[in-house]
Amino acid sequence: MLNLDHALRIGPTHSISFTHLMICSSNSRLFRAGLEQYIFKHDSSLGIKDGRSPYDFGFAFHKRADDPGRWVHRAMRWTPLRSVITTFPNGTKSMLITKVRPTGSFYPMQLMKDLLEALNNFDGAWESTNRVYSILEEFVWATWSDLRRERAGRADGHTVIASMTMSSGKNESWTPTPEQLKSLIAHQKEW
């Protein structure tokens, strides 16, 4: 979120504007042309597949906010998640949070600006993140956007993780060799 705040502050001074935010880890590398068309077509990566792991091809899924699971329980300790993120625009609280693999997830920029403003207006939001011991990225952007689906466009896309290569060591990803990189770049295909 701090990177987003910085980008929004310096963008206008360089005549740069943004329509969407896509979350990438520091070791992400994008090789496939056409990701921007996929993002424009689907607007956000909130395609829900109930009962599936969030790590199966980057689907989003719902979890109960009172779930005793380790990550949800730890994330719900963060007061802004309970007080800001899980609140519908009409003020009612959601009993569900949306969990998604953050890397490759994407959202309309205006929703993210609204989220940033809401967190900036919540006293102590940023200072308290280092006491959570959870991966807040898996919940914050997706839950905020899911509770505002009418503003999230078609919201039927999935994270673009399947079109990325990452140096993460996880089974669903791979680290390309220099020869594979040259081949990928030489043979890019559109979506």
Side-chain angles (χ1 to χ4, degrees):
M1 291 306 289
L2 296 176
N3 287 340
L4 172 61
D5 184 50
H6 179 69
L8 291 173
R9 278 190 283 111
I10 68 164
T13 62
H14 299 284
S15 301
I16 300 171
S17 62
F18 308 96
T19 60
H20 291 80
L21 170 73
M22 185 173 86
I23 312 301
C24 288
S25 62
S26 60
N27 61 352
S28 295
R29 298 181 209 87
L30 305 177
F31 295 112
R32 203 157 166 191
L35 292 179
E36 66 282 357
Q37 281 97 14
Y38 183 81
I39 290 170
F40 290 141
K41 177 181 177 184
H42 296 284
D43 293 315
S44 59
S45 54
L46 293 172
I48 300 291
K49 291 289 185 186
D50 291 326
R52 300 222 22 201
S53 162
Y55 294 103
D56 292 342
F57 200 63
F59 292 118
F61 77 116
H62 290 127
K63 296 283 285 179
R64 287 188 53 84
D66 60 355
D67 185 307
R70 182 177 70 174
W71 294 113
V72 174
H73 179 70
R74 287 180 181 172
M76 290 305 289
R77 289 181 190 167
W78 189 48
T79 306
L81 186 64
R82 294 191 317 267
S83 301
V84 177
I85 309 299
T86 59
T87 303
F88 282 98
N90 67 8
T92 60
K93 292 285 188 185
S94 173
M95 289 304 295
L96 296 175
I97 60 174
T98 306
K99 184 174 181 183
V100 68
R101 170 188 299 222
T103 302
S105 63
F106 56 94
Y107 309 94
M109 184 55 75
Q110 189 56 53
L111 274 177
M112 299 300 98
K113 287 179 181 178
D114 294 346
L115 170 59
L116 187 61
E117 181 181 343
L119 289 174
N120 282 336
N121 291 333
F122 190 87
D123 190 37
W126 302 115
E127 295 83 1
S128 62
T129 58
N130 63 351
R131 296 189 299 267
V132 177
Y133 303 108
S134 182
I135 304 173
L136 290 173
E137 307 85 59
E138 292 186 345
F139 307 103
V140 172
W141 294 293
T143 300
W144 176 266
S145 299
D146 205 7
L147 298 183
R148 289 151 183 79
R149 269 188 180 260
E150 72 283 353
R151 295 181 49 218
R154 290 186 55 187
D156 59 353
H158 301 293
T159 63
V160 294
I161 191 69
S163 298
M164 291 187 201
T165 61
M166 293 176 49
S167 177
S168 69
K170 296 187 178 184
N171 292 336
E172 72 280 357
S173 303
W174 55 279
T175 305
T177 65
E179 293 76 27
Q180 290 168 321
L181 288 177
K182 289 176 188 172
S183 175
L184 279 168
I185 292 168
H187 297 96
Q188 287 186 17
K189 294 185 179 179
E190 297 292 326
W191 281 78

